[in-house]
């Protein structure tokens, strides 16, 4: 089996050893109806309505969608269009909190006795890909007829610098991660459920290994701490040895990958009936005074999390949603926590300003360390020349957008951005 390339990036896992702190209930939250891939949820409340924690306020619209539930109790203040983390605008429901966090009386554990009921419960929980992908989990677990499912991989790699929210899930909610793994084994019937965890998380590995002892078909796979270990195609290869071809789905090679926090959320919902209404968010970066993990209601503005962590230093230059490698800069700290918010980083000017690029020196580092063996420098040249045929020939659509090429480039070329723009160019030509 060939070796997948990876980078030993600095970890900066400053918050890994500390249990999350719970944020005081915010005075209001803004819940976007588009916190997932697919169609936005459809609001089912109106301005002036009283709502409670866990109450449905946005119903899933179509097969690939996800419901949205009230994260605080209070009154619907507005239904409007607002900025979201993608830089787009989406219909959002604003709830003015009453401070009581009263749980909706309709919250109750669902009946789950077969595969159909299990998939429905996963959908009703509101859970999506909580590692950042945002694809609704229920349709991901709905297998096409004839699918031969060998492996379900639970992704606990968390390979990006700074982020430790998944680590805290595996350490603080170990039983729910394990229970979710058992449900996946029972109701989807793969040959094996494997929990992949990087070896820089010894406590999570130890706790999950203890629960997996003697369990046929459920195990922990210890992975080297290399970026981008948590990317789904890389994870599939490094655990199973299977390669996902260009244009193929993971199920085409007999695999499904599910984030560890996603698994814990639907397992907890099936036990308690409380849907996804809060997130554990890593708040860190060189401009944050007191980094920590924070449990916050979905819809809470970023600025309240920063305030809870002692505020920001004077030289803050950039706020990033997610990690520094694949995360996205956001326009302001008023952006709300979404379902997919696993981290928010505030960076000082020194860390935030992009370096000035110089001409490519043809060193080949971007090629030697690309996890899927692409040629980023060649793709950059083809993009600048508008050579669509060459972009196809160089397989740019295989790019994981992990930014390893940009990280390594001694000339500081904007290779990661060019890879994304090249894929967009191909899509527009189609």
């Amino acid at each position: 089996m060939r070796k997948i390339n990876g980078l030993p990036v600095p970890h900066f896992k400053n918050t890994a050893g500390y249990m999350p702190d719970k944020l005081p209930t915010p005075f209001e939250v803004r819940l976007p109806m588009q916190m997932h891939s697919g169609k936005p949820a459809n609001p089912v409340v109106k301005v002036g309505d009283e709502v409670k924690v866990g109450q449905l306020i946005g119903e899933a619209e179509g097969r690939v969608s996800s419901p949205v539930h009230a994260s605080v109790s209070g009154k619907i203040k507005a239904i409007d269009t607002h900025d979201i983390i993608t830089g787009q605008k989406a219909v959002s429901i604003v709830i003015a909190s009453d401070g009581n966090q009263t749980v909706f009386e309709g919250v109750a554990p669902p009946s789950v006795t077969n595969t159909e009921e299990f998939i429905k419960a996963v959908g009703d929980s509101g859970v999506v890909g909580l590692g950042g992908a945002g694809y609704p989990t229920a349709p991901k677990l709905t297998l096409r007829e004839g699918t031969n499912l060998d492996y379900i991989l639970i992704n606990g790699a968390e390979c990006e610098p700074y982020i430790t929210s998944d680590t805290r899930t595996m350490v603080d909610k170990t039983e729910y991660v394990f229970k979710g793994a058992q449900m996946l084994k029972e109701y989807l019937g793969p040959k094996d459920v494997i929990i992949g965890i990087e070896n820089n998380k010894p406590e999570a590995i130890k706790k999950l290994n203890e629960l997996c002892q003697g369990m046929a078909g459920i195990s922990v796979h210890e992975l080297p701490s290399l970026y981008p270990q948590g990317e789904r195609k890389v994870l599939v290869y490094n655990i199973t040895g299977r390669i996902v071809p260009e244009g193929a789905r993971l199920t085409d090679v007999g695999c499904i990958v599910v984030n560890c926090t996603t698994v814990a959320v639907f397992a907890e919902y099936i036990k308690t009936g409380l849907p996804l209404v809060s997130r554990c968010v890593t708040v860190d970066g060189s401009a944050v005074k007191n980094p920590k993990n924070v449990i916050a209601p979905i819809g809470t503005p970023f600025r309240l999390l920063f305030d809870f962590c002692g505020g920001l230093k004077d030289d803050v230059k950039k706020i990033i949603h997610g990690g520094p490698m694949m995360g996205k800069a956001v326009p302001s700290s008023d952006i709300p926590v979404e379902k997919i918010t696993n981290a928010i980083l505030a960076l000082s000017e020194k860390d935030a300003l992009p370096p000035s690029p110089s001409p490519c020196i043809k060193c080949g580092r971007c090629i030697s360390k690309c996890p899927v063996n692409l040629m980023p420098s060649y793709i950059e040249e083809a993009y600048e020349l508008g050579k669509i045929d060459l972009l196809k020939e160089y397989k740019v659509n295989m790019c994981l957008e992990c930014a390893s090429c940009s990280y390594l480039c001694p000339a500081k070329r904007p290779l990661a951005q060019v890879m994304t723009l090249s894929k967009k160019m191909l899509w527009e030509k189609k």
Side-chain angles (χ1 to χ4, degrees):
M1 186 167 79
R2 72 177 174 87
K3 181 181 178 183
I4 280 277
N5 292 321
L7 301 177
V9 298
H11 296 301
F12 300 129
K13 303 286 190 179
N14 308 311
T15 58
Y18 300 93
M19 288 189 66
D21 289 333
K22 189 173 182 179
L23 184 81
T25 304
F27 64 92
E28 77 174 31
V29 294
R30 184 181 296 272
L31 293 140
M33 296 295 98
Q34 183 75 67
M35 294 189 279
H36 52 267
S37 304
K39 291 186 177 180
N42 183 40
V44 293
V45 291
K46 62 184 183 299
V47 174
D49 285 354
E50 298 281 348
V51 295
K52 298 176 181 177
V53 176
Q55 182 175 340
L56 182 73
I57 60 172
E59 63 183 2
E61 185 72 22
R63 190 183 73 85
V64 181
S65 187
S66 183
V68 177
H69 302 84
S71 59
V72 298
S73 57
K75 183 178 288 188
I76 304 296
K77 178 180 176 181
I79 300 176
D80 57 14
T81 301
H82 197 264
D83 293 333
I84 58 175
I85 58 173
T86 60
Q88 300 168 306
K89 292 185 181 294
V91 172
S92 302
I93 296 176
V94 181
I95 306 175
S97 170
D98 59 17
N100 297 324
Q101 288 302 83
T102 306
V103 176
F104 180 54
E105 53 272 11
V107 166
S111 171
V112 176
T113 60
N114 56 47
T115 301
E116 184 178 353
E117 289 178 346
F118 171 66
I119 297 294
K120 183 180 185 304
V122 171
D124 290 345
S125 75
V127 74
V128 300
L130 299 181
Y135 191 83
T137 305
K140 175 187 280 193
L141 300 182
T142 304
L143 301 176
R144 291 179 295 176
E145 188 174 350
T147 298
N148 183 27
L149 184 62
D150 295 324
Y151 299 102
I152 294 179
L153 308 181
I154 297 177
N155 189 350
E158 198 168 49
C159 58
E160 278 252 20
Y162 292 108
I163 308 176
T164 64
S165 49
D166 278 349
T167 299
R168 293 317 311 177
T169 294
M170 292 185 286
V171 171
D172 302 328
K173 297 193 172 186
T174 318
E175 295 79 6
Y176 283 122
V177 176
F178 179 69
K179 183 61 179 175
Q182 287 182 307
M183 293 177 183
L184 290 169
K185 185 77 172 70
E186 178 180 358
Y187 295 118
L188 295 188
K191 294 178 183 176
D192 289 291
V193 175
I194 302 173
I195 307 168
I197 310 174
E198 281 194 332
N199 59 15
N200 62 352
K201 304 169 182 64
E203 188 177 2
I205 291 171
K206 179 177 182 292
K207 293 186 76 169
L208 282 162
N209 260 329
E210 288 171 354
L211 291 178
C212 290
Q213 289 298 319
M215 292 296 301
I218 304 177
S219 61
V220 173
H221 185 104
E222 190 171 329
L223 297 159
S225 299
L226 292 172
Y227 180 82
Q229 190 71 258
E231 202 286 327
R232 59 197 185 110
K233 293 180 182 178
V234 174
L235 195 74
V236 165
Y237 183 81
N238 281 350
I239 293 179
T240 72
R242 299 183 179 184
I243 296 173
V244 183
E246 182 180 11
R249 302 178 182 182
L250 267 61
T251 50
D252 294 334
V253 296
C255 298
I256 289 176
V257 174
V258 191
N259 171 265
C260 62
T261 300
T262 298
V263 171
V265 166
F266 71 64
E268 189 168 4
Y269 169 74
I270 289 169
K271 181 177 180 180
T272 68
L274 187 66
L276 178 60
V277 293
S278 64
R279 276 299 325 246
C280 177
V281 182
T282 299
V283 184
D284 206 338
S286 53
V288 176
K289 291 183 179 178
N290 183 24
K292 59 176 72 175
N293 282 309
V294 179
I295 296 175
I298 293 170
T300 304
F302 287 4
R303 55 185 163 76
L304 295 188
L305 278 71
F306 288 131
D307 289 345
F308 188 62
C309 293
L312 298 176
K313 299 174 184 177
D314 293 336
D315 64 341
V316 61
K317 191 69 174 179
K318 182 179 289 185
I319 296 173
I320 295 176
H321 178 270
M325 299 294 285
M326 295 183 72
K328 301 290 187 292
V330 296
S332 81
S333 60
D334 288 328
I335 296 292
V337 169
E338 297 188 9
K339 291 182 180 183
I340 62 173
T341 304
N342 55 2
I344 54 175
L345 308 179
L347 302 180
S348 63
E349 184 169 359
K350 176 177 71 70
D351 295 326
L353 291 178
S356 299
S358 57
C360 175
I361 61 173
K362 311 297 183 185
C363 66
R365 290 187 191 180
C366 60
I367 298 171
S368 67
K369 287 297 183 179
C370 175
V372 288
N373 294 307
L374 299 182
M375 300 184 294
S377 57
Y378 285 62
I379 291 170
E380 181 187 36
E381 185 176 358
Y383 170 76
E384 290 175 346
L385 294 172
K387 299 287 189 181
I388 298 297
D389 290 342
L390 284 178
L391 292 177
K392 292 179 182 177
E393 182 181 337
Y394 296 150
K395 304 288 185 184
V396 69
N397 279 332
M398 290 287 289
C399 175
L400 309 177
E401 299 186 37
C402 67
S404 295
C405 49
S406 288
Y407 178 81
L408 281 169
C409 180
K412 308 303 180 187
R413 305 293 303 166
L415 296 172
Q417 293 91 329
V418 168
M419 300 294 274
T420 301
L421 291 170
S422 297
K423 292 163 78 171
K424 184 173 184 290
M425 181 184 285
L426 272 185
W427 176 259
E428 288 174 346
K429 289 296 181 182
K430 288 181 181 179

